[in-house]
């Protein structure tokens, strides 16, 4: 079997036709991981033995004629999603030895289908970052050019799929962490409608922004994985009671004014060419005025750290993971957090605590929330006349390891186009649009489509036109 061409759809067909077994398939991935991951470092831990056991169980399901879409499909899981009995560290020192005591709802659903879990993937610590360089366990390399980052924060998941070390992967997206690595690794990445996929068992970063979603090679594979993990969950109070996605049409809004500056010219060219291809395949392009989009990045970098500072208060050296002894409880807190958190996490906690503090919360946090409503309103207005809004996923292609690591603002600018969807709670997909050449290597560039609430099917439909015409 040629793993580089394999999709979930094709593997499903071959497994059900008994052309090979789920165990053969899992072994092929494990071999490739053994060969390649020494260099790439997509995985923090590979579960070879249990993966083989799960594959054997999947083979029994297939033999009984009980196969489901993901039975025997080998997938990788981001290190911030809980699997009972497994270490889940969020790539942080503070949770280095933390073992999950229950399954995340998405894992329960995948286990019920008989999916195979290959291992947990590297990420920026607690999902803060855009390059996977903020991992406490060292960076992941982009399999397409190992001098470059795979994007982040789900960089390990993206690299695993791009290097054929998993057939698909789960990531989480708070401000672009599925779509931006998908863009940099030539994959499809879906940020799902807020509330469509349960967050139960996902370590929270920004609770009003976080969603779990798929990283896959094709749109159809993304749809399959999304259908498997979506649905109401009483354990998540923000989970939608009923989720129904229907494709509407192919009118695509382009917020031209927002795209005038800050984009690499080659990336802009790929974006414009992709729009042209869509127009040729039957889409209507409409200019949309979304005047508040330029505020999305500053709003995100107030709302997100605010939520981070409260969510991460739970890592106190007593309830979870690392505990550094001290003479007083206060000393345990400070010593544990100083030893356990990396620089970016500490920066966000400081910013978040500041913007929430009395005397400043009106000027920063409340103001940011008001502007967030204006951004939501921009989308609502746009979706009165279009079915999706298009923009690049990221302003540039994959950058060099180390290039932005010491410049937080340069790193934050990577998220300028992706944070908009999280602030509005709407779904967004990154689909490979084309490539740009850097140092003689062709690097993939993602095309982003943002849909209305529950508009996933529209994104899949328009996305398939991009896929077909590439
Ligand atoms: N890069 C963004 C950040 O650092 C988004 C991260 C994410 O989506 N988890 O906050």
């Amino acid at each position: 079997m040629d793993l580089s061409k394999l999709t979930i759809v094709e593997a499903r067909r071959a497994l059900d036709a008994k052309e090979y077994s789920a165990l053969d398939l899992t072994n092929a991935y494990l071999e490739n991981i053994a060969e390649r991951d020494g260099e790439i470092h997509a995985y923090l831990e590979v579960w070879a033995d249990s993966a083989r056991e799960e594959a054997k169980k999947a083979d029994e399901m297939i033999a009984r004629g009980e196969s489901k879409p993901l039975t025997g499909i080998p997938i990788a899981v981001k290190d911030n999603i809980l699997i009972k009995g497994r270490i889940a560290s969020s790539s942080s020192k503070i949770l280095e030895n933390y073992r999950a005591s229950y399954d995340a709802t998405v894992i329960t659903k995948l286990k019920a289908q008989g999916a195979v879990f290959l291992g947990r993937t590297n990420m920026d610590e607690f999902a803060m970052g855009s390059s996977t360089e903020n991992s406490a366990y060292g960076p992941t390399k982009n399999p397409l050019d190992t001098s470059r980052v795979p994007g982040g924060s789900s960089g390990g998941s993206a690299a695993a799929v791009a290097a054929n070390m998993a057939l698909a992967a789960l990531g989480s997206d708070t401000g672009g962490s599925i779509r931006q690595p998908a863009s940099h690794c030539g994959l499809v990445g879906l940020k799902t409608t807020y509330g469509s996929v349960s967050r139960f068992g996902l370590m929270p970063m920004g609770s009003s922004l976080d969603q779990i979603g798929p990283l896959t090679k094709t749109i159809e594979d993304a749809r399959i994985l999304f259908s498997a993990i979506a649905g109401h969950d009483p354990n998540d109070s923000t989970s939608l009671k009923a989720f129904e996605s229907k494709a509407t049409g192919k009118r695509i809004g382009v917020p031209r004014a927002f795209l005038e500056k800050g984009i690499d010219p080659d990336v802009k060219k790929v974006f414009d060419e992709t729009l042209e291809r869509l127009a040729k395949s039957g889409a209507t392009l409409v200019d949309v005025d979304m005047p508040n989009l330029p505020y999305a990045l500053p709003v995100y970098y107030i709302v997100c750290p605010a939520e981070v500072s409260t969510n991460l208060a739970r890592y106190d050296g007593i309830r979870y993971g690392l505990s550094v002894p001290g003479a007083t409880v206060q000393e345990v807190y400070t010593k544990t957090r100083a030893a356990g958190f990396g620089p970016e996490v500490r920066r966000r906690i400081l910013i978040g605590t500041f913007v929430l503090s009395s005397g400043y919360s009106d000027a920063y946090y409340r103001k940011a929330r008001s502007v967030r409503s204006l951004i939501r309103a921009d989308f609502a207005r746009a979706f009165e006349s279009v079915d999706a809004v298009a923009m690049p996923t990221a302003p540039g292609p994959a950058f060099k390891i180390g290039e932005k690591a010491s410049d937080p603002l340069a790193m934050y600018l990577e998220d300028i186009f992706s944070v908009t969807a999280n602030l509005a709670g709407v779904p967004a997909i990154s689909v490979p649009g084309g490539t740009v050449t850097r140092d003689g290597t062709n690097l993939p560039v993602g095309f982003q489509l943002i849909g209305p609430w529950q508009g996933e099917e529209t994104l899949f439909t328009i996305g398939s036109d991009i896929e077909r015409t590439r």
Side-chain angles (χ1 to χ4, degrees):
M1 73 194 79
D2 177 2
L3 296 187
S4 68
K5 301 241 160 54
L6 199 59
T7 59
I8 296 178
V9 174
E10 168 55 17
R12 172 84 278 120
R13 189 202 59 74
L15 288 170
D16 289 342
K18 317 259 168 49
E19 284 173 20
Y20 44 75
S21 68
L23 185 59
D24 295 337
L25 184 62
T26 295
N27 279 329
Y29 278 99
L30 290 172
E31 271 165 37
N32 202 34
I33 293 170
E35 212 167 284
R36 287 208 73 184
D37 205 38
E39 186 188 9
I40 306 292
H41 192 227
Y43 284 96
L44 291 174
E45 191 182 2
V46 177
W47 305 314
D49 293 342
S50 61
R52 288 196 185 97
E53 288 311 310
E54 287 158 4
K56 284 183 201 155
K57 289 216 178 85
D59 280 327
E60 288 163 18
M61 280 174 81
I62 296 167
R64 291 196 301 268
E66 289 170 5
S67 85
K68 305 210 171 61
L70 294 172
T71 309
I73 301 297
I75 62 168
V77 180
K78 190 174 178 178
D79 193 35
N80 59 353
I81 299 174
L82 306 189
I83 303 182
K84 190 174 177 179
R86 290 281 174 211
I87 289 179
S89 78
S90 254
S91 285
S92 179
K93 283 280 171 215
I94 213 162
L95 293 178
E96 189 166 13
N97 299 312
Y98 170 72
R99 263 179 213 280
S101 54
Y102 63 95
D103 282 328
T105 298
V106 293
I107 298 299
T108 307
K109 285 174 180 277
L110 294 176
K111 281 186 174 174
Q113 290 216 3
V116 173
F117 300 100
L118 292 170
R120 58 188 174 99
T121 54
N122 200 16
M123 55 185 278
D124 287 299
E125 185 177 6
F126 285 107
M128 296 171 210
S130 308
S131 66
T132 315
E133 293 166 291
N134 292 338
S135 165
Y137 305 102
T140 294
K141 292 178 180 165
N142 189 319
L144 307 172
D145 175 347
T146 51
S147 69
R148 293 176 188 272
V149 303
S153 64
S154 313
S157 283
V161 179
N164 305 306
M165 299 191 288
L167 191 39
L170 287 182
S172 67
D173 193 312
T174 302
S177 281
I178 290 176
R179 290 159 286 155
Q180 185 255 16
S183 176
H184 289 353
C185 292
L187 302 172
V188 172
L190 174 70
K191 189 297 242 187
T192 57
T193 296
Y194 187 76
S196 64
V197 176
S198 171
R199 291 184 293 114
F200 184 68
L202 167 69
M203 291 182 196
M205 177 185 172
S207 304
S208 75
L209 306 156
D210 301 337
Q211 275 291 287
I212 297 173
L215 282 140
T216 56
K217 289 190 205 155
T218 65
I219 302 253
E220 191 49 33
D221 283 4
R223 180 194 261 127
I224 292 169
L225 192 44
F226 172 57
S227 314
I229 59 175
H232 178 66
D233 178 10
N235 286 325
D236 173 357
S237 63
T238 59
S239 163
L240 296 173
K241 284 274 172 335
F243 176 81
E244 209 195 338
S245 185
K246 279 205 196 88
T248 48
K250 296 183 181 179
R251 291 164 305 169
I252 301 172
V254 187
R256 302 251 178 221
F258 182 47
L259 308 179
E260 255 160 32
K261 37 179 209 279
I263 309 179
D264 176 291
D266 296 339
V267 169
K268 183 72 180 7
K269 193 160 161 266
V270 170
F271 176 74
D272 289 333
E273 286 167 1
T274 310
L275 279 179
E276 262 172 51
R277 268 162 42 209
L278 283 170
K280 279 201 194 114
S281 69
T284 315
L285 306 183
V286 184
D287 284 3
V288 286
D289 185 26
M290 301 178 75
N292 296 295
L293 289 186
Y295 305 114
L297 196 67
V299 165
Y300 173 84
Y301 276 98
I302 291 173
V303 171
C304 173
E307 295 187 14
V308 159
S309 74
T310 52
N311 271 327
L312 271 61
R314 77 192 67 200
Y315 305 110
D316 56 7
I318 291 160
R319 282 180 288 186
Y320 304 91
L322 181 74
S323 186
V324 180
T328 61
V329 173
Q330 188 65 34
E331 214 180 290
V332 174
Y333 291 167
T334 48
K335 283 191 169 164
T336 301
R337 289 165 69 86
F341 288 141
E344 180 60 26
V345 173
R346 272 183 266 163
R347 181 179 299 119
R348 301 249 183 146
I349 292 172
L350 288 174
I351 295 171
T353 309
F354 175 76
V355 300
L356 289 174
S357 60
S358 83
Y360 292 100
S361 65
D362 280 339
Y364 293 99
Y365 183 65
R366 257 176 235 282
K367 182 73 121 306
R369 286 195 55 160
S370 309
V371 182
R372 184 179 185 178
S373 328
L374 297 176
I375 293 164
R376 275 177 200 260
D378 272 4
F379 275 105
R381 209 175 324 103
F383 291 132
E384 284 170 13
S385 56
V386 297
D387 303 292
V389 168
M391 55 182 92
T393 306
F399 47 92
K400 293 268 184 190
I401 293 172
E403 191 179 323
K404 302 187 182 186
S406 55
D407 183 350
L409 287 183
M411 194 69 89
Y412 295 171
L413 274 168
E414 269 292 293
D415 311 328
I416 187 159
F417 301 123
S418 51
V419 296
T420 57
N422 302 73
L423 290 170
V426 294
I429 199 166
S430 179
V431 184
T435 57
V436 303
T437 309
R438 292 288 181 278
D439 310 326
T441 305
N442 289 338
L443 301 174
V445 169
F447 181 91
Q448 183 181 207
L449 286 161
I450 306 177
W453 202 61
Q454 301 192 323
E456 274 83 350
E457 277 304 321
T458 300
L459 304 184
F460 295 146
T461 306
I462 304 176
S464 299
D465 289 340
I466 304 175
E467 210 168 50
R468 224 186 351 261
T469 56
R470 195 163 52 235

